[in-house]
Amino acid sequence: MSGFSTHPDHDFDVRIHDALGNAELRESFHGAMHFLRDKRRTQFPDPNALEALRDRGAAIRDRALARLPDLLEQLERNCTRNGIQVHWAETAEEANTLITGLVNAAQGKRIVKGKSMATEEIGLNSAFEAAGFTCLESDMGEYIVQQANETPSHIIMPAIHRNKASIARQFHTQIPETPYTEDVDELIGTGRRVLRRAFAEADVGISGVNFAVAETGTLCLVENEGNGRMSTTVPDMHIAVMGIEKVIERLADLPDLLRLLTRSATGQAVTTYLNLISSPRKQDECDGPRQVHLVLLDNGRSRIYADRQLRETLRCIRCGACMNHCPVYERLGGHAYGTVYPGPIGQVVMPQLHGLDRAGKLTQACSLNGACGEACPVRIPLPDLIRRLRHEGVTQDTGSPVKGHGRQRKPAEALTWKIWSLIHRTPWLYSLTTHLATRARKLLPPWPRAWTNHRAPLEPAERSFREMMEQRGRDPGGKQ
Amino acid sequence: MNATPVNRVYLFGTCLVDVFHPRAGMAAVRLLEREGIFVDFPPEQTCCGQPPYNSGYDEQARDVARQVVERFSDPIPVIVPSGSCAGMLRHHYPSLLADDPLANAAQDLAARTYELHEFLNRVLKIRLEDQGAPVRVAMHTACSARREMGVRDDGLALLGQLKHVEVCEPENAEACCGFGGTFAVKMSEVSAAMASDKCGAIRATGARQLLSSDCGCLMNIDGMLRKQGQDLNGEHLAEFIWKRTGGEPL
């Protein structure tokens, strides 16, 4: 399982076309993105304070990444000391085999899962299905998309593409004895009844990890609905799945990161639930899982880590602010990308995880406007990384760890840039070209169609700027 | 740079100004000259290399960038009437040419590169006397001018000096217009969706004129407005300021 069943580049254009043609989707995303941006803005009223906090957040993440191998070992030692069993998984397949093995060993069948991008990335739900387990997503949005056989369209708000009428129809037809209603409270009540039963009956609870503290061996989970706490407390076994980059040095690093995470993600000053898990149930405790497992997932991350510039990708705290601020994501929604991580961070992560041959085209869905980089709470230079990956996509032998080099290179495009370069580094040729373009301006074809389908044709001026300057130089009245 | 008065600058005209908006270039020259500055326009200049650079063709971009570094080698400010081209020189040349014999020269060039309105407002601190009739204009600041160069306020400050000009920033002013160089062609449908929203926001201001300090955005927005049959003239900010302050026809 690679996290998505189709080639993300495949039919990307078709998905873009469909998304743009879906007026309801466009309106939903437009409204949601602006709502989230406004909420975030009100949480950071002082721009200087925000910049200082972003500096601290980026520094915390950089410090942790600089010592990543050490910190992971320290985390393993401290977790083990606390009674948390630590496992390492190099690939998605390894992680899935390991996790299904743990569930089997505990003779578990029924699983509840809190929202987690790492488990989406490895396609854990499909692995569970194949193993004959039932796994219910317990985050309300995830539950809705799971029931509809869909994937999340946003990393924080998985069902943001859905409106209440379609959810009302879905619940009415799929959950027995559910009357049709568009009342949001009633819909949530319906979902909650289903989930409550699942929590009570579950053998195993799965979660992700927002941050893991190396010095204390603590798993930190941020959530709003309380479902995460139910998933990690009620069943006898808790399995946490974490990308190896999520480790931080100290507990003292946590407050700044939490401030950045919740305010950037949903515009909340604080999260509703913060779960700090440091051990399984102790002898005199009356609840909590009897076994806690931590799966440390690589899945391509150490390859990203090997390159100094690309390493900045791993600072990501999965807040989704980049997609909330991306004008392309706003128009398309998350499904058009065909990837687990959509939007700007997805455009950077997916080609690195799965190769430029499979996901390199995603990097084109960007106008390099910089909004994502400006929003990123830990200052990941997303536009620079997108551009870097474009370069890797059209170039052979870059010596970088990204797979699928040069596979986005098209001979016609490469030739165009060669000619372009020749003209622009040969001044007389450039002069001649602009001279001809301005003289023949009325004769130029309305080209390219991609431009003129939506805009008036480009029309060169009567005389180029350089000709005006030359004329001025010859003119005795001119100042040069 | 600020300690000694500037009396000579380079003008980097940009290829879009050269071919599509030469009057914007002339306005930049005149505005600088009116402040007593000699404007050196190296006649062999072409483009900054941004189009292939943003497409990932670094080698082709580097070939062009080297010449810019060589042709603008005197230690005087380089003035660019475009946020994205100025951003290319200031923020991307140092890394693009990091392993090149011209690496130091690229660093030096980056340090003395200015966007035109940034230079007029911050370095020269020019004063403007509005001589035109009352008008309502919509100002669009390019993403690169806003984010990469941080010069949004400079353009607005200059416009703010024009007494009879009412300036409105369209709703969602910080949103990209969808140009993005080759993005407008490669992802033309997404680009058009972005441009369409931008045009709607600009029309909603009720402005008579659209201003921007970047020719790429102007071409994109103005091109769509014209296709829509809108009577809303798009103009480069420098040209507008020059005309409003009594400059002779360009």
Side-chain angles (χ1 to χ4, degrees), chain A residues 401-422:
Chain A
V402 189
K403 291 191 289 188
H405 277 146
R407 296 290 282 278
Q408 298 291 323
R409 190 183 179 95
K410 295 186 194 110
E413 188 186 69
L415 180 66
T416 303
W417 289 123
K418 274 196 178 145
I419 296 169
W420 185 95
S421 168
L422 178 70

Side-chain angles (χ1 to χ4, degrees), chain A residues 30 34 37, chain B residues 169-176 198 201:
Chain A
H30 178 83
H34 283 267
R37 282 178 218 166
Chain B
E169 272 196 293
E171 202 184 350
N172 303 320
E174 76 290 349
C176 174
K198 182 58 74 184

